[in-house]
Amino acid sequence: QVQLVESGGGLVQAGGSLRLSCAASGRTFSSYFMAWFRRPPGKEREFVAAISPNGGTTIYADSVKGRFTISRDNAKNTEYLQMNSLKPEDTAVYYCATGRIFSYREYDYWGLGTQVTVSS
């Protein structure tokens, strides 16, 4: 059984930082793409960032480029999302996902999400 568990969410003031983690269990993900998505209040889920299996390629949504950094530690089956210069519009439930191929929408496995709230 594949499980993805996010952690690190919380309440932060605008301009602050948070680091999200996503721990994967049930199988190794060193050959899978990993990604972060978010669902802002009242809106649809949107792509945030993705990272290739070896970590050599990263892709970001324009809205977070230059502020967020995705990374992974394959030895720990964990991916991270470092979020700096947070804005109120970053408020959302953040989900990690993993799959065999890169996609801006669909992945094979999803976590349950962690809430990030940015106050103004």
Side-chain angles (χ1 to χ4, degrees):
Q1 185 73 15
V2 174
Q3 288 188 328
L4 299 175
V5 180
E6 303 94 338
S7 61
L11 174 64
V12 63
Q13 289 188 332
S17 298
L18 282 175
R19 189 174 87 150
L20 305 183
S21 299
C22 174
S25 62
R27 64 188 307 161
T28 57
F29 291 92
S30 59
S31 61
Y32 280 55
F33 282 86
M34 298 195 78
W36 289 96
F37 287 76
R38 67 186 182 186
R39 186 187 299 275
K43 297 183 179 180
E44 295 186 351
R45 185 178 66 197
E46 61 186 34
F47 172 82
V48 175
I51 188 166
S52 60
N54 67 0
T57 301
T58 55
I59 303 165
Y60 296 94
D62 288 342
S63 59
V64 306
K65 201 172 295 183
R67 300 188 298 122
F68 291 11
T69 302
I70 189 172
S71 61
R72 65 191 296 164
D73 184 341
N74 286 340
K76 297 181 178 180
N77 277 358
T78 302
E79 71 163 339
Y80 306 96
L81 186 68
Q82 178 66 44
M83 306 186 294
N84 298 329
S85 302
L86 283 161
K87 305 175 181 179
E89 51 263 44
D90 294 318
T91 294
V93 177
Y94 283 71
Y95 302 88
C96 67
T98 188
R100 294 179 180 272
I101 61 173
F102 169 75
S103 172
Y104 283 107
R105 292 189 176 184
E106 299 298 331
Y107 282 82
D108 299 321
Y109 304 104
W110 294 83
L112 295 180
T114 185
Q115 176 70 48
V116 171
T117 303
V118 184
S119 63
S120 58

